[in-house]
Amino acid sequence: MAGESVIGDGLLQRVGAEDASSDAERGESAWIEVIHKMDQVYADLVHYQVELEEKNSALEEAQHFIENVQTSMTDVLIVCDINGDIKQANRALQQLTGCAAEELVGRPFSALFESDSRQLVAQFAEKIRSETVYDCEVNLLGSDGAPTPLAMNCNSLFDHEGKLVGMVLIGRPVGELRRAYEALHRTHNELQQAQRQLVHSEKMASLGRLVAGVAHELNNPISFVFGNMHALKGYGERIKRYLEALHGGDDPAACATLREELRIDRILGDIGSLIDGTLEGAERVSNIVQDLRRFSGNQQQQQQVFELCPLVRTAVDWVIKAARDKPRVELRLDESLSVEGNNGSTHQILVNLLQNAVDVLEDRDDPRLCVCCRREAERVLVEVSDNGPGIPQSDLLRVFDPFFTTKEVGKGTGLGLYISYGLATDQGGDLQAVNLPAGGARFVLSMKAA
Ligand SMILES: Nc1ncnc2c1ncn2[C@@H]1O[C@H](COP(=O)(O)OP(=O)(O)O)[C@@H](O)[C@H]1O
Ligand SMILES: [Mg+2]
C-alpha cells in the first residue's frame, strides 16, 4: 500500500510541472490515463492477492479437514504409487503396525502383510486395472507380531489427467467381528446339538413307556410262532417214524395202519398252513422291530411320501397296550391317506399326543379316545381327542412351551408337546390344541397331503 502512494504522488507532481502547450496538455492527459491504468492494475493485484489468500486458507482448511477425517478413521487407509510404495498412511495403520508415518512412507506396501497374504496383495496392482478388489481377506502384521485380519478393498488412483498413478487400499479390521461370529457359530452348533439330544432323550423317555405295549405286540406273533414250531416238531417226528417203516421193509398193510395211526394225511394237509402262519408271525415280528427302529432311530429330517393310516394304527396299538387303564378307542381313518413328511417324526408326535391323552384319562369314568384322520383340501388332519378334563384356557398356548408340565416330578418332562410342535412345523405342518365343547381336549396335527 505504501508503494502505491509513493509512485502515485511522484507522477502527479511531474505532471503538475508541465502546463504550457497543448502538446504538454496531451502528454499530461496520457500520463493521467497511464496512472489510472496503473492504479487499476494495482487494485486488481491487491484484489487477486486477497482472493489468493482466501483460497489458500480454504485450501488449508480443506486439507486439515481431510487429515482429521483420515485420522479419525478406524479403517486402515494406504495410498501407494504405481510401484506399490506407500505415499500416505493414516493413523489407524500406524497404530496397528506400531510404525510412525515417516517409517511407513516409501516402503513397499506388501511388506506390511503376513507372508501368507503377500502373494494375494501382490496381485492388487494388476487386478485394479480391470476391477475394484472387494472384501479381500488379508493378514496385516500387527505391532505385537500377531496377524490382524483385515477385509480389504483396493481401488485405482488417477491423476488429474486420468492417468493411473497408484492405488488406494482401505482395510477394515475384522478380528473382533470374526471372533464374535465364530463364537456365535459355535454356540449355534452347540444349541442345535443340545436340541437334537433333547428330542432324542424325550423320544427315549416315551419309548420307555411304550416298551410294555411293544412287548405285548411282539408276544402275540411270537407265541403263535412257538406254537406252530412245536406242532411242526411233533409232525416231523411222526413223518420220520412213518418213513423209517416205509424204507425198513415193513409190509404194506402194516405201513397203511401206521399211516392211519400217525395221522400222516392230516399232517400233510396241515403243514402248509402251519408254515404260512409261522412265516406271517415272523413277518409281523420283523415289522414291529422295523417300526421300533424307525421310531427310536435318531434319523435326519428327510421328507418322504408315506401312508398315514398304518402309522396311526401302530402308534395307537403301542400306546394303548402299554396303558395301565385302557380307554375305549375309536379310530376314524379314511381309507388311504398319503402324506408328505417324515414318518419317524410323525410317529413320535402321535405317540406323544396319545400318551398325553392316556395320562389325562387315567382314573376317569368311561375314558374315551378318538383318533380321526381326514383329508381337507391340500392338508391331512389328524385329530386326537379325549374326554378328559381339557386344558385351562390360560394354558392353551403354554402347553407348547418347553418344560411346561402339570404332571408330578418324574412323570412329565414338559417337552413332549414342545418337541412335537417343532417336528410338525419342520415337516411343513402344524400342531394346535383346542378344548371340546363337551369337555376334553383335542390336538390337531396338520400335514401336507401328498
Ligand atoms: N390331552 C390333554 N388334556 C389336557 N391337558 C393336556 C393334554 N395334553 C397335554 N396336556 C397338558 O400339557 C402339558 C405338557 O404336555 P407335554 O409337553 O407332553 O409334557 P408332559 O406330558 O411331560 O407333561 C401336560 O403336562 C398337560 O398339562
Ligand atoms: Mg407328554
Side-chain angles (χ1 to χ4, degrees):
M1 294 293 154
E4 182 199 24
S5 58
V6 170
I7 298 169
D9 286 354
L11 286 173
L12 284 171
Q13 278 163 17
R14 266 185 278 161
V15 172
E18 301 171 25
D19 56 349
S21 66
S22 58
D23 273 357
E25 270 169 24
R26 273 201 299 278
E28 187 182 340
S29 69
W31 267 111
I32 290 171
E33 204 176 318
V34 166
I35 288 164
H36 275 160
K37 279 266 186 300
M38 283 186 74
D39 274 350
Q40 205 176 342
V41 166
Y42 195 79
D44 282 352
L45 262 174
V46 171
H47 177 74
Y48 289 147
Q49 187 177 354
V50 170
E51 218 171 60
L52 211 64
E53 272 168 11
E54 272 171 12
K55 279 189 178 157
N56 197 31
S57 90
L59 213 61
E60 270 176 10
E61 210 170 294
Q63 192 173 356
H64 201 61
F65 177 75
I66 291 170
E67 268 172 18
N68 277 346
V69 170
Q70 283 186 11
T71 306
S72 47
M73 264 172 79
T74 49
D75 284 4
V76 162
L77 174 75
I78 309 169
V79 183
C80 299
D81 63 18
I82 198 73
N83 301 319
D85 293 335
I86 300 174
K87 286 173 72 179
Q88 205 175 332
N90 71 343
R91 199 168 64 179
L93 182 74
Q94 296 166 29
Q95 278 172 346
L96 283 177
T97 54
C99 299
E102 308 81 65
E103 294 173 71
L104 292 168
V105 172
R107 272 173 74 181
F109 87 99
S110 59
L112 297 175
F113 297 90
E114 282 263 292
S115 50
D116 60 352
S117 303
R118 273 186 209 151
Q119 207 180 353
L120 198 63
V121 295
Q123 297 167 1
F124 284 0
E126 198 47 53
K127 272 194 178 171
I128 52 159
R129 288 175 191 272
S130 55
E131 56 183 331
T132 302
V133 178
Y134 282 116
D135 268 347
C136 184
E137 255 201 68
V138 288
N139 285 320
L140 190 78
L141 270 173
S143 56
D144 52 359
T148 306
L150 295 181
M152 185 146 267
N153 296 346
C154 181
N155 220 331
S156 333
L157 179 69
F158 298 102
D159 68 4
H160 62 282
E161 287 172 342
K163 205 173 113 206
L164 180 71
V165 288
M167 53 189 164
V168 179
L169 300 112
I170 297 175
R172 170 157 298 179
V174 287
E176 273 308 310
L177 206 66
R178 171 115 64 85
R179 270 191 287 281
Y181 176 76
E182 277 168 5
L184 196 73
H185 189 63
R186 227 179 6 257
T187 317
H188 181 69
N189 280 348
E190 281 167 10
L191 201 70
Q192 274 185 331
Q193 175 80 9
Q195 220 160 13
R196 272 197 295 273
Q197 269 168 5
L198 210 63
V199 174
H200 196 62
S201 54
E202 165 65 21
K203 196 148 66 173
M204 287 299 120
S206 66
L207 196 62
R209 290 184 56 182
L210 280 180
V211 162
V214 176
H216 195 283
E217 277 282 280
L218 285 171
N219 209 25
N220 202 19
I222 287 176
S223 63
F224 72 74
V225 166
F226 262 124
N228 288 359
M229 290 313 286
H230 197 72
L232 281 169
K233 194 177 168 203
Y235 286 179
E237 276 161 13
R238 283 197 257 167
I239 290 171
K240 195 173 152 211
R241 262 182 69 197
Y242 177 63
L243 284 177
E244 274 168 3
L246 215 58
H247 295 295
D250 289 12
D251 67 83
C255 284
T257 319
L258 192 63
R259 181 177 182 137
E260 191 79 15
E261 210 176 281
L262 295 173
R263 295 198 211 144
I264 297 297
D265 293 305
R266 223 190 93 191
I267 290 178
L268 293 179
D270 240 15
I271 217 161
S273 63
L274 264 184
I275 289 174
D276 284 350
T278 311
L279 275 176
E280 201 185 303
E283 223 162 80
R284 179 84 199 103
V285 170
S286 136
N287 285 345
I288 294 170
V289 171
Q290 261 176 31
D291 283 345
L292 205 58
R293 210 189 262 159
R294 194 165 48 214
F295 179 63
S296 63
N298 212 353
Q299 76 273 73
Q300 292 297 310
Q301 298 289 311
Q302 299 145 329
Q303 295 282 104
Q304 63 221 131
V305 172
F306 60 94
E307 263 304 310
L308 184 66
C309 299
L311 201 86
V312 172
R313 282 203 185 88
T314 320
V316 172
D317 275 354
W318 289 4
V319 173
I320 299 303
K321 287 197 172 116
R324 185 166 55 90
D325 298 332
K326 297 188 183 4
R328 199 142 52 90
V329 180
E330 188 187 346
L331 283 184
R332 281 192 233 151
L333 310 178
D334 274 2
E335 283 232 322
S336 156
L337 285 170
S338 254
V339 289
E340 197 188 320
N342 177 274
N343 58 4
S345 302
T346 310
H347 198 270
Q348 189 176 0
I349 299 170
L350 291 172
V351 166
N352 282 338
L353 299 180
L354 292 161
Q355 278 180 337
N356 280 346
V358 164
D359 285 343
V360 296
L361 292 174
E362 233 173 53
D363 303 323
R364 282 184 86 86
D365 292 339
D366 185 26
R368 270 178 289 127
L369 201 161
C370 176
V371 183
C372 166
C373 302
R374 63 194 155 84
R375 188 172 171 148
E376 214 178 82
E378 295 306 303
R379 318 291 299 171
V380 168
L381 303 180
V382 187
E383 297 171 347
V384 180
S385 320
D386 61 65
N387 64 341
I391 304 166
Q393 204 62 28
S394 56
D395 290 346
L396 266 178
L397 288 176
R398 287 175 66 207
V399 291
F400 295 104
D401 287 351
F403 307 112
F404 175 84
T405 180
T406 51
K407 294 172 192 170
E408 56 197 73
V409 179
K411 259 205 117 182
T413 57
L415 288 174
L417 289 177
Y418 166 68
I419 288 169
S420 299
Y421 181 81
L423 293 175
T425 49
D426 279 354
Q427 54 182 344
D430 190 23
L431 181 63
Q432 285 182 7
V434 288
N435 280 315
L436 296 171
R442 170 176 290 165
F443 283 84
V444 186
L445 168 68
S446 131
M447 298 186 70
K448 276 197 235 166

mmCIF file of all heavy atoms in Angstrom, residues 7-24:
data_model
loop_
_atom_site.group_PDB
_atom_site.id
_atom_site.type_symbol
_atom_site.label_atom_id
_atom_site.label_comp_id
_atom_site.label_asym_id
_atom_site.label_seq_id
_atom_site.Cartn_x
_atom_site.Cartn_y
_atom_site.Cartn_z
ATOM 1 N N ILE A 7 4.546 6.039 -5.629
ATOM 2 C CA ILE A 7 4.568 6.132 -7.102
ATOM 3 C C ILE A 7 3.523 7.130 -7.565
ATOM 4 O O ILE A 7 3.801 8.032 -8.333
ATOM 5 C CB ILE A 7 4.302 4.752 -7.743
ATOM 6 C CG1 ILE A 7 5.395 3.771 -7.341
ATOM 7 C CG2 ILE A 7 4.222 4.858 -9.251
ATOM 8 C CD1 ILE A 7 5.095 2.339 -7.690
ATOM 9 N N GLY A 8 2.338 6.990 -7.082
ATOM 10 C CA GLY A 8 1.218 7.841 -7.495
ATOM 11 C C GLY A 8 1.552 9.323 -7.272
ATOM 12 O O GLY A 8 1.455 10.132 -8.186
ATOM 13 N N ASP A 9 2.006 9.704 -6.134
ATOM 14 C CA ASP A 9 2.307 11.111 -5.809
ATOM 15 C C ASP A 9 3.400 11.655 -6.719
ATOM 16 O O ASP A 9 3.308 12.762 -7.240
ATOM 17 C CB ASP A 9 2.759 11.221 -4.347
ATOM 18 C CG ASP A 9 1.558 11.057 -3.415
ATOM 19 O OD1 ASP A 9 0.437 10.989 -3.956
ATOM 20 O OD2 ASP A 9 1.753 10.933 -2.189
ATOM 21 N N GLY A 10 4.441 10.830 -6.951
ATOM 22 C CA GLY A 10 5.555 11.248 -7.796
ATOM 23 C C GLY A 10 5.087 11.607 -9.180
ATOM 24 O O GLY A 10 5.449 12.665 -9.713
ATOM 25 N N LEU A 11 4.273 10.825 -9.791
ATOM 26 C CA LEU A 11 3.780 11.085 -11.146
ATOM 27 C C LEU A 11 2.953 12.344 -11.197
ATOM 28 O O LEU A 11 3.109 13.166 -12.093
ATOM 29 C CB LEU A 11 2.958 9.883 -11.619
ATOM 30 C CG LEU A 11 3.775 8.639 -11.994
ATOM 31 C CD1 LEU A 11 2.835 7.480 -12.278
ATOM 32 C CD2 LEU A 11 4.643 8.920 -13.195
ATOM 33 N N LEU A 12 2.106 12.572 -10.247
ATOM 34 C CA LEU A 12 1.228 13.747 -10.230
ATOM 35 C C LEU A 12 2.060 15.032 -10.124
ATOM 36 O O LEU A 12 1.744 16.031 -10.763
ATOM 37 C CB LEU A 12 0.229 13.655 -9.074
ATOM 38 C CG LEU A 12 -0.917 12.666 -9.324
ATOM 39 C CD1 LEU A 12 -1.736 12.479 -8.050
ATOM 40 C CD2 LEU A 12 -1.802 13.155 -10.458
ATOM 41 N N GLN A 13 3.145 14.948 -9.354
ATOM 42 C CA GLN A 13 3.990 16.130 -9.220
ATOM 43 C C GLN A 13 4.610 16.508 -10.555
ATOM 44 O O GLN A 13 4.613 17.657 -10.951
ATOM 45 C CB GLN A 13 5.097 15.860 -8.190
ATOM 46 C CG GLN A 13 4.611 16.048 -6.775
ATOM 47 C CD GLN A 13 5.563 15.390 -5.764
ATOM 48 O OE1 GLN A 13 6.694 15.083 -6.102
ATOM 49 N NE2 GLN A 13 5.075 15.215 -4.556
ATOM 50 N N ARG A 14 5.114 15.405 -11.275
ATOM 51 C CA ARG A 14 5.743 15.694 -12.556
ATOM 52 C C ARG A 14 4.736 16.244 -13.540
ATOM 53 O O ARG A 14 4.990 17.173 -14.278
ATOM 54 C CB ARG A 14 6.381 14.419 -13.107
ATOM 55 C CG ARG A 14 7.844 14.313 -12.720
ATOM 56 C CD ARG A 14 8.445 13.130 -13.382
ATOM 57 N NE ARG A 14 8.121 11.946 -12.606
ATOM 58 C CZ ARG A 14 8.180 10.744 -13.092
ATOM 59 N NH1 ARG A 14 8.487 10.553 -14.362
ATOM 60 N NH2 ARG A 14 7.917 9.731 -12.342
ATOM 61 N N VAL A 15 3.542 15.734 -13.566
ATOM 62 C CA VAL A 15 2.509 16.218 -14.485
ATOM 63 C C VAL A 15 2.194 17.672 -14.157
ATOM 64 O O VAL A 15 2.050 18.509 -15.036
ATOM 65 C CB VAL A 15 1.246 15.346 -14.392
ATOM 66 C CG1 VAL A 15 0.132 15.955 -15.191
ATOM 67 C CG2 VAL A 15 1.560 13.951 -14.917
ATOM 68 N N GLY A 16 2.101 17.995 -12.897
ATOM 69 C CA GLY A 16 1.771 19.362 -12.475
ATOM 70 C C GLY A 16 2.848 20.357 -12.909
ATOM 71 O O GLY A 16 2.555 21.539 -13.124
ATOM 72 N N ALA A 17 4.099 19.947 -13.226
ATOM 73 C CA ALA A 17 5.190 20.853 -13.598
ATOM 74 C C ALA A 17 5.104 21.301 -15.048
ATOM 75 O O ALA A 17 5.680 22.320 -15.426
ATOM 76 C CB ALA A 17 6.521 20.162 -13.350
ATOM 77 N N GLU A 18 4.375 20.578 -16.004
ATOM 78 C CA GLU A 18 4.306 20.981 -17.426
ATOM 79 C C GLU A 18 2.878 21.329 -17.776
ATOM 80 O O GLU A 18 2.049 20.477 -17.936
ATOM 81 C CB GLU A 18 4.760 19.777 -18.290
ATOM 82 C CG GLU A 18 6.138 19.315 -17.972
ATOM 83 C CD GLU A 18 6.435 18.001 -18.686
ATOM 84 O OE1 GLU A 18 5.831 17.689 -19.722
ATOM 85 O OE2 GLU A 18 7.290 17.259 -18.166
ATOM 86 N N ASP A 19 2.493 22.632 -17.887
ATOM 87 C CA ASP A 19 1.103 23.003 -18.181
ATOM 88 C C ASP A 19 1.014 24.071 -19.269
ATOM 89 O O ASP A 19 -0.007 24.700 -19.448
ATOM 90 C CB ASP A 19 0.394 23.449 -16.887
ATOM 91 C CG ASP A 19 1.090 24.570 -16.163
ATOM 92 O OD1 ASP A 19 2.260 24.873 -16.553
ATOM 93 O OD2 ASP A 19 0.501 25.133 -15.260
ATOM 94 N N ALA A 20 2.063 24.365 -20.141
ATOM 95 C CA ALA A 20 2.026 25.472 -21.081
ATOM 96 C C ALA A 20 1.352 25.116 -22.406
ATOM 97 O O ALA A 20 0.267 25.580 -22.694
ATOM 98 C CB ALA A 20 3.467 25.982 -21.322
ATOM 99 N N SER A 21 1.925 24.279 -23.206
ATOM 100 C CA SER A 21 1.430 23.979 -24.556
ATOM 101 C C SER A 21 0.374 22.869 -24.583
ATOM 102 O O SER A 21 0.180 22.174 -23.589
ATOM 103 C CB SER A 21 2.633 23.530 -25.408
ATOM 104 O OG SER A 21 3.097 22.300 -24.889
ATOM 105 N N SER A 22 -0.276 22.777 -25.799
ATOM 106 C CA SER A 22 -1.301 21.705 -25.934
ATOM 107 C C SER A 22 -0.661 20.325 -25.956
ATOM 108 O O SER A 22 -1.244 19.355 -25.493
ATOM 109 C CB SER A 22 -2.116 21.925 -27.203
ATOM 110 O OG SER A 22 -1.251 21.930 -28.315
ATOM 111 N N ASP A 23 0.566 20.285 -26.569
ATOM 112 C CA ASP A 23 1.287 19.006 -26.537
ATOM 113 C C ASP A 23 1.494 18.549 -25.117
ATOM 114 O O ASP A 23 1.308 17.386 -24.764
ATOM 115 C CB ASP A 23 2.677 19.180 -27.189
ATOM 116 C CG ASP A 23 2.578 18.977 -28.701
ATOM 117 O OD1 ASP A 23 1.449 18.654 -29.161
ATOM 118 O OD2 ASP A 23 3.631 19.090 -29.365
ATOM 119 N N ALA A 24 1.852 19.584 -24.415
ATOM 120 C CA ALA A 24 2.081 19.265 -22.997
ATOM 121 C C ALA A 24 0.795 18.804 -22.341
ATOM 122 O O ALA A 24 0.768 17.879 -21.533
ATOM 123 C CB ALA A 24 2.622 20.503 -22.274
#
